[in-house]
Amino acid sequence: MTTWNSRATVELVLEAKRKAPEAWGALFKRCETDMANFCRHFMGPNDPLRRIYETQDIVHEAFLMAMEKIDRLENDASFYAWVRTIIRRKISLKRRDDLRDQLGAEAVDRATLDTHEKDLSSSDEAVRVLDAVIEL
């Protein structure tokens, strides 16, 4: 597993903030495998989205968003957690869009979305606890 808060990673993030393409390439190579594994784990083996979206597509979309929004990253050492958050949000939005496509936009009521958001927040908490345990 990659050490995400290492000095080398933080330096790459700082270079990426200066829009250096080689820094983005190095960051992508450094975390692509871990992010793909996280994406597969977060989606779960039976998630219907796995039939529609490739894990790599979601990871690539997350990195593109990270490149566009890198100035919003406040703590350079938290790059890994930040990109994972982007991946979780991408998956959540894809689930919502898939649900809307299946049921029709009018049929998706707020209660269904609220329930899904609660599931995601408890999943986010589980990820934070797991990260804390791994760091020990």
Side-chain angles (χ1 to χ4, degrees):
M1 178 174 247
T2 305
T3 305
W4 293 101
N5 58 355
S6 71
R7 179 175 298 229
T9 301
V10 172
E11 288 175 7
L12 284 173
V13 171
L14 289 171
E15 286 297 312
K17 281 186 167 183
R18 294 184 201 111
K19 310 293 185 205
E22 58 280 346
W24 277 108
L27 274 172
F28 186 76
K29 284 181 185 177
R30 179 175 278 236
C31 63
E32 178 183 20
T33 301
D34 287 344
M35 291 298 167
N37 290 337
F38 171 77
C39 187
R40 278 190 288 279
H41 175 75
F42 188 74
M43 286 172 64
N46 300 320
D47 193 323
L49 285 179
R50 287 186 113 176
R51 286 182 256 132
I52 302 170
Y53 301 102
E54 292 291 326
T55 301
Q56 293 295 35
D57 292 340
I58 294 172
V59 171
H60 290 172
E61 288 176 23
F63 264 83
L64 286 174
M65 181 171 279
M67 289 174 77
E68 292 170 4
K69 312 269 185 194
I70 189 69
D71 295 333
R72 294 184 182 180
L73 179 64
E74 294 177 10
N75 181 356
D76 298 330
S78 66
F79 178 79
Y80 176 67
W82 183 60
V83 174
R84 285 187 343 176
T85 299
I86 295 171
I87 289 172
R88 281 193 303 266
R89 288 184 180 152
K90 289 253 173 231
I91 292 170
S92 177
L93 290 172
K94 288 183 184 304
R95 283 182 178 144
R96 184 198 64 197
D97 293 344
D98 186 51
L99 183 62
R100 283 187 176 159
D101 289 347
Q102 288 176 8
L103 302 175
E106 291 87 34
V108 179
D109 63 0
R110 187 66 206 157
T112 304
L113 292 175
D114 286 343
T115 301
H116 182 65
E117 288 171 3
K118 287 177 187 173
D119 290 344
L120 285 177
S121 65
S122 64
S123 177
D124 289 346
E125 183 60 30
V127 169
R128 281 192 286 274
V129 169
L130 182 60
D131 285 344
V133 169
I134 290 172
E135 289 180 9
L136 294 176

